[in-house]
C-alpha cells in the first residue's frame, strides 16, 4: 500500500479530500429542487453522478489518493419519500464497476450527512426517523460500493435541547436501538458548537463506534479540561483500534478573518505537522479545505519539501 512523504521518520498517513475535484471540475453531487424531483429527473441525475464518481475514483487512483468522501447527494433525495426509485437495482452494474475501481486502488470511502439531516440527540420522533432514513441511505451507498468496515458514515451528536443530559441520553437510546448493521457503518465526530471531544469519546466507547478526531473543532470548542492535539489523536485512535480499524481524522485550518471554525483554502503546515507528530501508528487524514484535491497536492509538496532539499514529493497533476 503506497504511503506519502511526511515528517522525518514518518510516512504512515494518507491524505484525502471531500466530494469534489477542482482539478477535474467534477463533484458527483448534482441535485434538483424538491418541486422538480420527478422520477425521470432523478434517474438522469443519478446516472450523471455515478459517471462523475467514476471519473473521481479513477483520478484518485491515478494520483495515489486513497481517501475520499462521497457527496451526500450522490443519489438526490436518497432518503426522502419523493425518491421512490429502486436505484440500487437500476444502477447495480454501475455500482459494481465503481466498487472494482475503489477496491483495486484501495480507496477508503465515506459519507458525511449534514447535521440537519442526521444526528443522534433529538427527542422528536420525526427527526429521529429522518436521521435513520439518511443513515440507511448512506450505509446502502457504501454497501453497494462493497466498502470495507473502515469505510464509515460520519455523524455528529446533534443539538443539546432540552438539556445536555437529556440530549445525551437520547443519543445513547438511539444508538442502543439502532440496527447493528447500521451502527457498524457509523463513526461519530465531535463539533465546534455543541459537543466537545471529551464528551463524545465516552459515547463512542460505550457503543463500540469509533470517533473521528478533528483538530479545528478541538481548538474552537475545547474540552473541559482541554485535550491537547496529542491526547485527541491518542484517544480517538484507540476507538478505531479497538475495532481493529485504521484511525481516521479530520484535518482543517482556521480561515483567516473567518468565523471561528471556518475552513481555510489550504492546510497550514503547522496544523499538519502537529497532527502527524502525534501519531502512534498508521492513520488517515481527511482534509477539510476549500481547495479540495488541490489542498492534498499542496500538502504533499510541503511534506516533500521538508524531506528533500530539492522539494521532490508525491505525484501531483
Amino acid at each position: 500500500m503506497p504511503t506519502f512523504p511526511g515528517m522525518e521518520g514518518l510516512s504512515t498517513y494518507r491524505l484525502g479530500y471531500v466530494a469534489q475535484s477542482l482539478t477535474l471540475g467534477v463533484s458527483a453531487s448534482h441535485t434538483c429542487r424538491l418541486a422538480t424531483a420527478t422520477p425521470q429527473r432523478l434517474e438522469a441525475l443519478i446516472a450523471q453522478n455515478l459517471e462523475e464518481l467514476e471519473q473521481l475514483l479513477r483520478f484518485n487512483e491515478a494520483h495515489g489518493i486513497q481517501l475520499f468522501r462521497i457527496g451526500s447527494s450522490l443519489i438526490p433525495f436518497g432518503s426522502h419519500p419523493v425518491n421512490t426509485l429502486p436505484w440500487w437495482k437500476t444502477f447495480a452494474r454501475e455500482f459494481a464497476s465503481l466498487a472494482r475501481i475503489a477496491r483495486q486502488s484501495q480507496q477508503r470511502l465515506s459519507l458525511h450527512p449534514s447535521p440537519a439531516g442526521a444526528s443522534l440527540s433529538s427527542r422528536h420522533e420525526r427527526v429521529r426517523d429522518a436521521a435513520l432514513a439518511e443513515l440507511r441511505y448512506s450505509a446502502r451507498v457504501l454497501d453497494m460500493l462493497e466498502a470495507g468496515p473502515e469505510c464509515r458514515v460520519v455523524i455528529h451528536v446533534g443539538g443539546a435541547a432540552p438539556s445536555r443530559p437529556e440530549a445525551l441520553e437520547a443519543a445513547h437510546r438511539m444508538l442502543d436501538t439502532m440496527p447493528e448493521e447500521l451502527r457498524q457503518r457509523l463513526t461519530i465526530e465531535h463539533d465546534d458548537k455543541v459537543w466537545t471531544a471529551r464528551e463524545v469519546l465516552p459515547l463512542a466507547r460505550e457503543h463500540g463506534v469509533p470517533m473521528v478526531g478533528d483538530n479545528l473543532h478541538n481548538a474552537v470548542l475545547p474540552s473541559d479540561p482541554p485535550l491537547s492535539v496529542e491526547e485527541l489523536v491518542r484517544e480517538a485512535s484507540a476507538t478505531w483500534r479497538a475495532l481493529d480499524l485504521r484511525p481516521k481524522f479530520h484535518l482543517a485550518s482556521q480561515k483567516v478573518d473567518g468565523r471561528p471554525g471556518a475552513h481555510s483554502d489550504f492546510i497550514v503546515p503547522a496544523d499538519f505537522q502537529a497532527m502527524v507528530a502525534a501519531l502512534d501508528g498508521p492513520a488517515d487524514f481527511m482534509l477539510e479545505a476549500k481547495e479540495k484535491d488541490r489542498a492534498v497536492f499542496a500538502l504533499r509538496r510541503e511534506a516533500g519539501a521538508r524531506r528533500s532539499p530539492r522539494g521532490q514529493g508525491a505525484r501531483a497533476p
Side-chain angles (χ1 to χ4, degrees):
M1 182 178 297
T3 55
F4 305 131
M7 295 185 66
E8 191 65 33
L10 278 175
S11 58
T12 57
Y13 61 88
R14 302 182 299 186
L15 307 177
Y17 65 101
V18 175
Q20 178 184 13
S21 166
L22 297 184
T23 303
L24 292 178
V26 166
S27 68
S29 297
H30 300 283
T31 188
C32 62
R33 294 182 295 108
L34 183 61
T36 62
T38 64
Q40 296 78 12
R41 178 64 173 147
L42 291 174
E43 188 166 338
L45 288 168
I46 294 169
Q48 180 181 6
N49 285 342
L50 294 179
E51 288 175 5
E52 291 193 1
L53 181 56
E54 180 176 352
Q55 294 180 55
L56 288 162
L57 295 182
R58 291 195 182 281
F59 174 84
N60 294 345
E61 180 179 31
H63 295 287
I65 296 174
Q66 295 180 294
L67 194 65
F68 181 66
R69 181 191 301 167
I70 299 168
S72 291
S73 295
L74 180 72
I75 307 298
F77 298 101
S79 65
H80 193 284
V82 74
N83 190 340
T84 60
L85 297 172
W87 53 266
W88 55 95
K89 297 179 181 178
T90 304
F91 294 97
R93 182 177 298 179
E94 288 82 354
F95 271 100
S97 177
L98 293 168
R100 283 193 295 272
I101 298 168
R103 183 170 58 252
Q104 72 190 15
S105 52
Q106 301 180 24
Q107 294 188 51
R108 182 179 187 174
L109 305 174
S110 62
L111 286 90
H112 191 352
S114 72
S119 60
L120 299 171
S121 63
S122 178
R123 55 180 171 156
H124 301 292
E125 185 176 4
R126 61 177 178 78
V127 177
R128 293 196 304 272
D129 288 346
L132 282 172
E134 182 68 18
L135 296 177
R136 288 192 191 98
Y137 150 66
S138 301
R140 173 170 263 172
V141 168
L142 293 177
D143 290 344
M144 292 293 294
L145 291 169
E146 302 173 21
E150 76 284 356
C151 301
R152 299 269 167 155
V153 182
V154 183
I155 58 172
H156 291 287
V157 175
S163 69
R164 298 184 76 81
E166 289 170 289
L168 196 57
E169 179 58 31
H172 279 288
R173 284 198 305 271
M174 189 164 179
L175 286 168
D176 276 334
T177 58
M178 188 177 293
E180 180 63 20
E181 66 272 13
L182 183 53
R183 186 164 57 246
Q184 289 179 358
R185 274 296 185 196
L186 299 185
T187 177
I188 308 175
E189 181 187 8
H190 56 116
D191 61 78
D192 60 2
K193 295 180 176 64
V194 183
W195 299 101
T196 68
R198 198 176 288 280
E199 291 173 305
V200 174
L201 277 164
L203 181 69
R205 293 187 190 114
E206 181 170 334
H207 296 278
V209 176
M211 188 187 88
V212 170
D214 185 303
N215 69 309
L216 185 56
H217 290 343
N218 192 53
V220 173
L221 185 66
S223 295
D224 183 18
L227 277 173
S228 67
V229 171
E230 292 79 9
E231 291 171 314
L232 175 68
V233 168
R234 182 180 66 246
E235 297 298 331
S237 290
T239 66
W240 292 93
R241 295 209 177 99
L243 302 172
D244 199 26
L245 298 174
R246 183 181 176 116
K248 178 182 174 184
F249 299 93
H250 289 174
L251 175 58
S253 294
Q254 174 65 46
K255 180 180 180 181
V256 177
D257 298 328
R259 63 164 180 80
H263 294 155
S264 63
D265 290 346
F266 295 95
I267 302 300
V268 173
D271 294 332
F272 161 69
Q273 293 155 15
M275 290 288 276
V276 172
L279 293 179
D280 57 359
D284 292 333
F285 294 119
M286 180 63 72
L287 305 192
E288 296 194 321
K290 297 297 185 183
E291 284 293 307
K292 307 292 183 179
D293 56 319
R294 293 174 183 168
V296 171
F297 297 130
L299 199 52
R300 284 180 171 182
R301 288 191 293 270
E302 160 67 22
R306 290 178 61 83
R307 293 186 63 178
S308 169
R310 299 176 60 185
Q312 294 176 344
R315 292 167 292 169

